[in-house]
Amino acid sequence: SQEFCSALEQDHLRLQMAKEAVERRTRELREEGELLCKNLKQEIPFNIALPEKSMVFKGLVTSKEDMNKLMLIPRIHYPLLGGSALITFEKAEVAQRILEMREHVVELSCGEELEELDRCRVQVQAVPVDLLLPSALEMGLTRSSRSILVSGLPSLGIPEEGLLDKLELFFSKTKNGGGEVESREFLDDSGQVMLTFAEDGVAEQLIERGHIQVFIGKGKYEVKISPCMSGNITNLQFQPSCCPRTVLLTGIPDVLDEESMRDALEIHFQKASRGGGEVDTLHYVPLGQVGVAVFTEDAG
């Protein structure tokens, strides 16, 4: 029995030593992992260069589902043939009444008291305005290896071409970190300049700097250097849409000058007795001419 107890004690001692060895190795692995994570954080800098832009909160809060969506603001160019007019009413129900009546006899005497035989009338047709609006858009983005965006440019009151010349002169010098400039373009919608270099590597070095002091004339100004992204539309889908407040008038003869015809049409279609109502805008194109109407998102 003494030998049996001694064997149990030895087994217990071996298990205790094995447990301590496992715990010690676990602590070592944990310390090595923490050290590795610390070194990775020090070696990999996190820096995203984006164009600077002043922003202000206007009070609009969106849902989380909309965060990754690209918002499209349609701007449709609509051809307007001669002998036609576009009329937009303040209320959609007025436009609907005009469309339901379809045929309209417009008095051209502009309210003058004339005998019945002396009155001049024309017959026009009202048809709906149907547009194709984008419903889905997919884009593929690529980063240019030779182009940069220059933002934060000073307002010097000089022509755009003059500013482009000065920027090209500065960034074409190797002592400023630049190189031969292949092309330059002023982006009107953002106030930024896109510069494209003839050789690889120049743009990347400037982007890594982020900011640079630029000499323009006798002044020195700090501008921001950002990568240049370009996008290609890979899929674009449309859906038909009818303008609720706008009506197209066709078949208008060339019997009055442009201003008089426009006044006659507006007078006729704003009268409630003829199914009309308050007119927001009216544009008339005489026969022999062609116009282009621009449709934007209806904010009313």
Side-chain angles (χ1 to χ4, degrees), residues 83-190:
S84 62
L86 280 176
I87 179 170
T88 300
F89 297 94
E90 291 187 357
K91 296 182 178 180
E93 52 265 30
V94 177
Q96 187 61 37
R97 285 201 305 266
I98 297 299
L99 290 172
E100 290 174 354
M101 296 171 65
R102 187 171 175 79
E103 301 288 341
H104 299 267
V105 178
V106 179
E107 178 73 54
L108 301 183
S109 57
C110 295
E112 296 180 11
E113 295 296 333
L114 299 175
E115 296 294 333
E116 183 66 24
L117 294 177
D118 295 329
R119 292 181 178 276
C120 180
R121 301 181 180 92
V122 296
Q123 182 171 310
V124 300
Q125 294 77 41
V127 296
V129 178
D130 295 319
L131 303 175
L132 285 177
L133 298 180
S135 60
L137 172 68
E138 294 180 5
M139 295 185 65
L141 296 177
T142 57
R143 176 172 170 173
S144 174
S145 61
R146 294 186 178 183
S147 299
I148 62 171
L149 286 180
V150 182
S151 58
L153 296 168
S155 299
L156 302 177
I158 61 177
E160 292 181 1
E161 282 299 317
L163 180 59
L164 290 176
D165 290 340
K166 296 181 182 299
L167 289 174
E168 180 177 352
L169 180 63
F170 178 87
F171 282 100
S172 63
K173 297 179 179 179
T174 55
K175 68 176 183 180
N176 296 329
E180 180 183 348
V181 176
E182 190 174 79
S183 65
R184 77 269 178 94
E185 181 181 356
F186 197 95
L187 306 180
D188 295 328
D189 58 342
S190 64

Side-chain angles (χ1 to χ4, degrees), residues 76-81 83-89 127-131 243 245-250 252 262 265 269 279-285 291-295:
I76 309 300
H77 290 244
Y78 185 86
L80 197 58
L81 301 179
S84 62
L86 280 176
I87 179 170
T88 300
F89 297 94
V127 296
V129 178
D130 295 319
L131 303 175
C243 295
R245 297 192 298 122
T246 302
V247 173
L248 176 63
L249 304 176
T250 63
I252 304 174
R262 185 169 56 247
L265 292 172
F269 285 101
V279 175
D280 191 353
T281 57
L282 188 149
H283 294 283
Y284 162 64
V285 178
V292 176
V294 179
F295 285 82

Side-chain angles (χ1 to χ4, degrees), residues 153-288:
L153 296 168
S155 299
L156 302 177
I158 61 177
E160 292 181 1
E161 282 299 317
L163 180 59
L164 290 176
D165 290 340
K166 296 181 182 299
L167 289 174
E168 180 177 352
L169 180 63
F170 178 87
F171 282 100
S172 63
K173 297 179 179 179
T174 55
K175 68 176 183 180
N176 296 329
E180 180 183 348
V181 176
E182 190 174 79
S183 65
R184 77 269 178 94
E185 181 181 356
F186 197 95
L187 306 180
D188 295 328
D189 58 342
S190 64
Q192 302 172 10
V193 170
M194 181 177 69
L195 297 177
T196 301
F197 297 95
E199 298 179 357
D200 293 328
V202 179
E204 196 64 35
Q205 293 178 3
L206 290 171
I207 292 171
E208 290 178 359
R209 297 176 63 175
H211 291 80
I212 189 172
Q213 297 282 342
V214 177
F215 294 91
I216 302 178
K218 297 181 179 180
K220 183 171 65 174
Y221 309 91
E222 184 177 274
V223 298
K224 183 175 178 61
I225 309 298
S226 307
C228 182
M229 305 293 294
S230 61
N232 294 318
I233 297 177
T234 57
N235 183 27
L236 179 59
Q237 300 177 12
F238 293 90
Q239 65 179 8
S241 178
C242 182
C243 295
R245 297 192 298 122
T246 302
V247 173
L248 176 63
L249 304 176
T250 63
I252 304 174
D254 189 15
V255 294
L256 292 178
D257 62 80
E258 184 174 345
E259 184 177 356
S260 298
M261 180 61 77
R262 185 169 56 247
D263 291 342
L265 292 172
E266 187 167 352
I267 290 173
H268 176 89
F269 285 101
Q270 72 181 358
K271 291 184 177 181
S273 61
R274 294 166 179 169
E278 289 296 325
V279 175
D280 191 353
T281 57
L282 188 149
H283 294 283
Y284 162 64
V285 178
L287 282 172

